[in-house]
Amino acid sequence: MGRPRPPARIRTAAAALAALALTGAAGCAGSLPDAGEGAVVTFAVTRASGGNMAGIIEDFNEANPDAKVRLVHLAADADAQRTAMVQDLQARTGRYDVLYTDAVWTAEFAARGWLEPLDAERFAGSDILPAAAETGMYRGRLYAAPFATGTGMLYYRSDLVEDPPTTWEELIEGCPIAEAEGMDCYAGQLSRYEGLTVNATEAIASAGGEIIDERGRVVVDSAEARAGLGFLVDGLREGRIPRAALTYMEDESRLAFQRGELLFMRNWAFAWPAMQEPGPESEVQGRFDAVPLPGDGGPGTGTLGGNNLALSAYSGHKEEALRFIEYLQSESVQRDWMAETNTPTSWASNYGDEELMAGAPHLVRQYAALQSVQPRPVSPRYNDVTNAVQRHVHAALTGEKSVDEAVTDLQEELETAVEGVAGP
């Protein structure tokens, strides 16, 4: 995958916003050429992708006039994105040739025969981070080319904490600093949504446990899972985690940290550039840093996030679509994306680019964290799985169930949910 490809132009944030404005307010409005203007490939992507996707596609279209791409923006909400894609895939219309999929949708979409298998050497070879490549795999085959990636990090106030914690015990020992400063100690994303599944998976993995193992077996009923969930439950009960965190999604927790209300915060890489912007919106600009998550008795384990590039099994333009996926996944395009968004992508060598990393030092720590990660539970019935995790974990956090009851009940429900779809 090291062969030369056309470069992507870096555009300013203002130009990116202007390009998005041209797409209109509708959830599925398109931009760039339509079929009547020579478009061959249709690319369905979320409005929340972050970078200047329209500009990248303009570059591709200029270099590939026989395979022009039309961009269709789906809603920013992940559930709405999935619904739009599922409706098209179920109908087998092939309206969307290339799909910008959430990393956790691979198993479900592949198991239903909706995705075209991809050449693993071409799209997930040695140039791609192994952890990112894994999110595109299902039962030993590649179904989605990794693009954006990332894992949870521990943000901390570097002006107040000299040595960031590597264990939960060290994090707890730092909480008196928060109390002395009139702030809360720690928060992640504990509202009842997908972020809760992420936080629960990370806590359980950071204690050495799993929810579903690599063979598809439900293994959450364990001492390790109880310890992981117990870390969150005890934090709420003992006041280390504010009750407000039960309503926090990514932006709410970022804003709390940004306003100087938290000493420690779990969040993704996207939070860094927003909090480093100078001005009255950030009380912590220049006074925070990020490190890999702490765990139970040692370094913790983040879970994988990100988005992949999948080819619809019903596309009528597969050769052109594959050419576009290869371009979008290329080293130069991913480098430009990282430089523009300050968020991690899947091309490994970019993390060794000194100039690029100098402008985004948090990505150096992100790269280190990506060497030890665990995916969210992998299952063709992921929606059933995540809903069960959210329901039982939330019940434990709010005191409706004990940790033991929540773990026992989750094991029972998940066994029913994934029955008959475990791996070989």
Side-chain angles (χ1 to χ4, degrees):
M1 293 186 66
R3 56 192 180 282
R5 298 183 178 89
R9 295 192 296 266
I10 300 177
R11 290 168 170 80
T12 64
L17 290 172
L20 290 178
L22 291 174
T23 65
C28 290
S31 67
L32 304 176
D34 61 23
E37 298 173 303
V40 175
V41 176
T42 299
F43 180 34
V45 64
T46 168
R47 283 185 178 277
S49 60
N52 184 13
M53 193 67 76
I56 292 172
I57 294 173
E58 287 174 9
D59 289 328
F60 176 83
N61 288 348
E62 185 176 310
N64 297 269
D66 62 326
K68 286 186 176 180
V69 175
R70 175 176 181 263
L71 181 65
V72 173
H73 279 111
L74 304 182
D77 177 74
D79 288 340
Q81 296 162 33
R82 179 184 171 278
T83 296
M85 291 181 186
V86 167
Q87 286 174 345
D88 179 69
L89 293 166
Q90 285 179 329
R92 303 187 178 188
T93 66
R95 178 191 177 196
Y96 304 142
D97 298 287
V98 179
L99 308 169
Y100 192 70
T101 59
D102 191 293
V104 298
W105 299 341
T106 303
E108 176 192 2
F109 287 14
R112 295 187 179 189
W114 291 342
L115 303 182
E116 188 76 10
L118 302 179
D119 184 325
E121 182 61 30
R122 182 179 180 185
F123 295 105
S126 58
D127 295 318
I128 301 299
L129 291 170
E134 190 63 29
T135 67
M137 303 292 292
Y138 177 64
R139 293 192 174 180
R141 299 192 73 180
L142 185 73
Y143 286 92
F147 179 70
T149 190
T151 188
M153 301 284 285
L154 182 74
Y155 288 80
Y156 70 97
R157 286 287 298 274
S158 56
D159 59 329
L160 300 175
V161 175
E162 184 174 352
D163 297 312
T166 59
T167 67
W168 289 340
E169 182 179 3
E170 290 173 357
L171 186 151
I172 293 169
E173 289 173 353
C175 288
I177 297 173
E179 185 176 359
E181 296 291 331
M183 59 175 62
D184 290 311
C185 186
Y186 171 78
Q189 296 78 46
L190 302 183
S191 183
R192 188 171 161 180
Y193 79 117
E194 182 62 23
L196 182 55
T197 298
V198 170
N199 280 247
T201 300
E202 289 179 339
I204 290 169
S206 293
E210 292 180 278
I211 296 175
I212 296 177
D213 69 14
E214 62 182 12
R215 295 181 58 188
R217 299 175 303 181
V218 180
V219 293
V220 72
D221 193 351
S222 68
E224 292 81 6
R226 286 172 171 78
L229 182 54
F231 168 70
L232 298 176
V233 171
D234 291 346
L236 284 160
R237 187 181 66 248
E238 296 170 12
R240 290 187 296 275
I241 301 175
R243 301 299 294 181
L246 291 170
T247 67
Y248 284 176
M249 298 186 190
E250 284 82 0
D251 267 343
E252 287 82 1
S253 52
R254 173 185 64 81
L255 287 169
F257 187 88
Q258 192 167 320
R259 290 191 296 257
E261 298 170 5
L262 291 172
L263 183 64
F264 300 112
M265 171 189 66
R266 179 263 170 226
N267 217 321
W268 304 97
F270 90 94
W272 181 283
M275 297 189 301
Q276 282 288 25
E277 285 293 321
E281 289 79 12
S282 181
E283 295 290 330
V284 299
Q285 191 264 334
R287 296 190 288 152
F288 70 90
D289 208 338
V291 293
L293 294 171
D296 187 12
T301 302
T303 192
L304 278 166
N307 293 91
N308 298 333
L309 306 165
L311 173 59
S312 169
Y314 312 112
S315 168
H317 311 283
K318 290 176 182 172
E319 182 180 344
E320 294 88 349
L322 287 171
R323 198 192 316 169
F324 170 62
I325 291 174
E326 187 173 44
Y327 176 89
L328 195 57
Q329 199 196 26
S330 67
E331 180 179 21
S332 62
V333 170
Q334 291 201 30
R335 186 194 188 283
D336 289 352
W337 186 273
M338 290 176 74
E340 183 182 348
T341 67
N342 280 314
T343 57
T345 61
S346 65
W347 198 282
S349 64
N350 282 328
Y351 295 89
D353 186 319
E354 293 185 6
E355 181 183 355
L356 180 61
M357 292 300 103
H362 62 295
L363 293 183
V364 177
R365 270 84 78 188
Q366 178 79 188
Y367 178 74
L370 283 166
Q371 307 312 304
S372 177
V373 291
Q374 186 178 116
R376 278 168 277 178
V378 176
S379 172
R381 297 179 181 169
Y382 183 76
N383 262 16
D384 294 334
V385 171
T386 188
N387 287 334
V389 171
Q390 292 168 38
R391 184 165 55 257
H392 294 294
V393 169
H394 192 264
L397 296 178
T398 57
E400 297 173 34
K401 292 183 178 182
S402 68
V403 168
D404 187 65
E405 289 171 332
V407 170
T408 300
D409 292 348
L410 180 57
Q411 173 79 22
E412 182 178 339
E413 182 169 344
L414 289 183
E415 285 178 349
T416 301
V418 305
E419 184 178 359
V421 296

